[in-house]
Amino acid sequence: DAGVIQSPRHEVTEMGQEVTLRCKPISGHDYLFWYRQTMMRGLELLIYFNNNVPIDDSGMPEDRFSAKMPNASFSTLKIQPSEPRDSAVYFCASSLKGFSTGELFFGEGSRLTVL
Amino acid sequence: AQSVTQLDSQVPVFEEAPVELRCNYSSSVSVYLFWYVQYPNQGLQLLLKYLSGSTLVKGINGFEAEFNKSQTSFHLRKPSVHISDTAEYFCAVSASYIPTFGRGTSLIVHP
């Protein structure tokens, strides 16, 4: 089975531009998580969805960040406008409540560089 | 609320030596415990997990961890490390379906 798929793997953009990161969770999983990883802050939970509904977005740093999950097989994380301090690796992860006790399956990440 | 503390940010060790990566947690309820590994430029992958039963849990690549409820610890061990074990290791605790991760420990294996 395919794992969690993220795109793009690498993105370099200029400050002020819009960035969209994409995620396809494992089929059948009902939880989807967006994390951000930096050297300074480690792994931060930004937002998570259950059955396509956002449950907790308290980790989203500010209004420039938004996330959507229009269906069970697709989610986006958008940054508009982007700033250099948004440079990080963004991970998407999914899990299945009925099976999982907190075990997550991670994608390979999207490395964002904002110049 | 739950929290995880990984006591060492970096652990250097020579190849074939034993290693222990320390993890302590706090929670007011029973928890599930996990160790994840992140190789360079990759996502996190599950190394092992404790759900219930035997407090000694064996994972992939020869790693094992022991759950100690009285000390609220879940330390990761390997009797003999290999160069390929160089990676970032994350301890995580979950009292529901939402895990809390530690800051990570960088294991650096020298030849």
Side-chain angles (χ1 to χ4, degrees):
Chain A
D1 286 338
V4 176
I5 299 172
Q6 292 187 244
S7 65
R9 290 295 312 278
H10 302 274
E11 174 94 6
V12 180
T13 190
E14 293 190 347
M15 183 174 64
Q17 296 299 305
E18 178 179 293
V19 173
T20 299
L21 308 178
R22 298 172 178 82
C23 175
K24 177 179 168 57
I26 292 173
S27 177
H29 281 192
D30 53 358
Y31 277 80
L32 184 139
F33 304 79
W34 282 101
Y35 284 87
R36 178 172 69 175
Q37 186 179 39
T38 61
M39 291 290 290
M40 290 293 292
R41 295 173 181 256
L43 199 61
E44 300 175 274
L45 177 62
L46 301 178
I47 185 172
Y48 73 90
F49 297 81
N50 177 217
N51 291 322
N52 314 336
V53 176
I55 303 300
D56 185 352
D57 65 355
S58 59
M60 296 284 261
E62 46 196 278
D63 292 345
R64 298 184 296 106
F65 285 69
S66 62
K68 294 182 180 179
M69 192 165 185
N71 58 62
S73 59
F74 184 65
S75 177
T76 60
L77 178 67
K78 188 174 292 187
I79 308 172
Q80 167 63 17
S82 58
E83 297 183 4
R85 60 190 167 129
D86 301 331
S87 297
V89 181
Y90 292 82
F91 288 102
C92 177
S94 69
S95 70
L96 178 62
K97 178 178 178 179
F99 167 77
S100 170
T101 50
E103 176 184 350
L104 302 188
F105 295 82
F106 283 80
E108 294 195 318
S110 294
R111 181 176 295 276
L112 173 65
T113 302
V114 183
L115 304 174
Chain B
Q2 57 202 30
S3 66
V4 179
T5 302
Q6 291 185 242
L7 298 162
D8 306 296
S9 60
Q10 203 172 81
V11 173
V13 64
F14 286 106
E15 194 173 19
E16 298 184 5
V19 71
E20 178 180 83
L21 306 183
R22 297 180 293 169
C23 173
N24 286 89
Y25 69 93
S26 66
S27 176
S28 57
V29 298
S30 295
V31 296
Y32 305 113
L33 296 156
F34 307 84
W35 276 98
Y36 287 81
V37 59
Q38 183 182 28
Y39 298 106
N41 300 313
Q42 294 187 25
L44 282 71
Q45 58 184 260
L46 185 69
L47 198 56
L48 51 79
K49 59 186 176 184
Y50 171 80
L51 305 181
S52 64
S54 173
T55 57
L56 184 62
V57 180
K58 295 190 183 297
I60 61 173
N61 300 337
F63 282 93
E64 62 181 33
E66 185 157 18
F67 170 56
N68 188 319
K69 188 174 182 179
S70 62
Q71 297 189 6
T72 60
S73 67
F74 191 54
H75 300 333
L76 181 70
R77 303 186 182 100
K78 186 170 183 178
S80 176
V81 295
H82 190 266
I83 294 286
S84 60
D85 293 323
T86 294
E88 192 83 10
Y89 292 80
F90 292 89
C91 182
V93 59
S94 173
S96 61
Y97 301 101
I98 314 303
T100 298
F101 286 86
R103 287 296 306 272
T105 297
S106 179
L107 176 62
I108 303 169
V109 181
H110 297 287

